[in-house]
Amino acid sequence: MRWAPSAAPVVLLMVAASLAPAWSHPGVWPDAYRTPTADARIIPAPKVLRWLDAPFEFGRLTRIVVGPEATAQDLYAARELNDELAAWGAAPLEVVRAPKEDSSAAGLLHNAVLVGEPAANPAVARALAQGGLWVTAREPGPEGYVLEVAPDRIVAAGTDRRGTFYAVQTLRQLIHREGGRLLARGAMIRDWPDHPIRAVHVVLDSYSDVFHVALIDRVLGRYKFNMLIAEAQYVRWDSARAIWHPQGATKAQAAAVVAAAREHLMEPVPLIQTLGHAEWLFYNDQNLDLLEMPADVAPARYAYDPLNPRVYDVVLPILDEAVVLFGARALHIGHDEVRNVVPFPWSEEGRRLGFGELFVRDTVRLYEHLRRRGVRTMMWGDVLLTNDYDPALQGLPRDIVMVDWQYHPAARYPSLGRFRAWGYEVLAATWYRHDNIAALSHEARKAGAGGMVRTTWTGYFGNRSALQAQYHQIASYLAAAEHFWNAGAPAPALDEIEAARRFRLDWQAARPAPETIPGQPLDLRGAVNVSHVDDGAGWLGKGAAYDLRNLPGGLRRLGGVQFLILDPEEHRGRSVILLRGTRRPLQELPEGATVGFGGRAGELCFLHALPYPATRYGERVATYRVRFGDGGAIEIPVRYRIDIGSWLDDPVSMDHEVVWTGRTRSGIPARLTMLCWVNSDPQRPIVAIDLRAANGQTAPAVFAITALDRPRASGQP
């Protein structure tokens, strides 16, 4: 790439510099970066919460007190608490067993975290009695808990084992540092879930033993999900070696996910797609004789022929393996979108019998096989709701659990009531939209649904990139956690930006201590060429209703970094460096700009956004080139939805860090992204930063740049 600027940018920059008003550089800021204040809300929000004046302080002598006969499962809650303390850099607490006699438990009530159900832990029972507290099967009910955080002790008491586990998950969210002290915020909480089943659906692949195990440990268990529905048809089953996919999970990898789910008190449920979505059955050109539509005429290998008895010779052993591997009490057989890809039925005999009859025959065959093994059948319910509905479908057993997926936001979801009227237990399944999650959960509770499912569609082998291109799906688990536990509100309780920030913090392996880093702003006055306030000729030329005037000029602390945003009224109508793109409003802008510096930096932070989206995820839209005093240079790639997003984009990758949110006058949400580049040689003087567009349809708008003396320990994902 040639870095000599064209004549037009040089002339523009010279003119801009000559017109720039006098400006007093603020010098070095002692707190150019301060660790942002953590989001203090509890997710999901407790039903009853009263804050207390004084916190509990964890010390070297603090102990975790469990029941005298605590099992390995009972100890999961204590392990979770010690994991949280370790994340804050503290040593694990000693775990001790309470004596069986209530009178002997009195000595354990001070400087302790008392964990367990009152019937199983005398120390918990005594502490509850002293505080006039109680947990029973009726109040707060199954999976309910009481959490008291007082200066002298903490009581985490559950109605049952899950309730205790969830009490500790809430306690983890109250832990924080003040100076050198590790504290839990004082509180009195009584809580219980609205939905008995709070499930997340995932798709297993060869990365699941890394990604899904971490997801369960860092997010799903923390936010009180109690079921994992794991799509598992591509697992390398022993009975079907000929169709093994190279990216399919091994049984050992799948077993690691199952073990992680059980250790976080999530019931693991395998899902094997059957009838439709059966592409997996024909992988590697196998089992082509089982196709409903012959391979030589089929546009896709999609559905099997339920009239071919060999189908079940292949499928049923796989179901058996899945039941054993998962220790399953229920198995999801799929059965959705059967007619979406190929004509079904295709065979002459199938057409004579009709779709409904074939669908019921196949379902009942799988259902009966599972029932004989004591396993309940779950399935998607969409076929029963479509125009394919046939009286023959009345023949489906009513103890099948129907999973009603509805991915659109709506005020009402009448399908839930239809399933209930037909006699089915129903689970309501959402996707990633927060408005859909909130509204469907609200309606599901009113309809008497058995619970909720948050589906995840990242592709069959997409887990390695799920935190990048599919981050909007993954981060919205927090919205699902909130509304699956608390179904009362039909409107979203937190927005996409809030969920993305919180997920990003939870995904970090540690919770670093707060830090303050000196730094300074870079002077953009000589390079700015556009105003972010549009009164006819600024921003994108669409007028005051569609600009960024709600971003005020001056000092703004965003994502913990102090930025100096120019006020266009003070700088002759210019506040932003906007580069050239092929979109019409960008065509006459300069291809590049140069910002001088003359200092050192351990980290450079850019506040920027794209005025228009790029065409694809990961597309390079610009390069920021850091030039050093010794003549060397380093290029920083700026990639769409990784390092930068459109000013109207939701965050869609772990690295796409949105730090400012606002709205236009017309009410449209607006966002700015922060990209921070770590300098591997912070003592090397920097003379300038060249900003260059990549000749695509869009290019960055740079609002501010701040140089930090050293990299942020807490700013790295």
Side-chain angles (χ1 to χ4, degrees), residues 558 563 565 605-609 659 672-674 701-705:
L558 305 172
F563 289 105
I565 298 170
C605 294
F606 300 82
L607 181 67
H608 59 187
V659 293
L672 299 184
T673 303
M674 181 171 71
V702 178
F703 292 75
I705 306 172

Side-chain angles (χ1 to χ4, degrees), residues 455-499:
T455 61
T456 313
W457 301 109
T458 56
Y460 283 124
F461 311 110
N463 291 314
R464 280 180 170 79
S465 61
L467 294 179
Q468 281 71 49
Q470 300 297 331
Y471 189 53
H472 58 293
Q473 290 200 55
I474 306 303
S476 68
Y477 289 148
L478 275 69
E482 177 62 53
H483 290 284
F484 289 8
W485 187 271
N486 296 310
L494 70 166
D495 66 24
E496 290 80 1
I497 306 300
E498 293 168 330

Side-chain angles (χ1 to χ4, degrees), residues 63 77 91 112 151 171 179 215-216 236 314 378 402 417 604 607 671:
R63 293 176 292 177
L171 171 60
L215 185 67
I216 291 166
R236 299 182 191 179
V314 177
M378 300 171 66
M402 291 293 174
L604 289 172
L607 181 67
R671 288 93 189 241

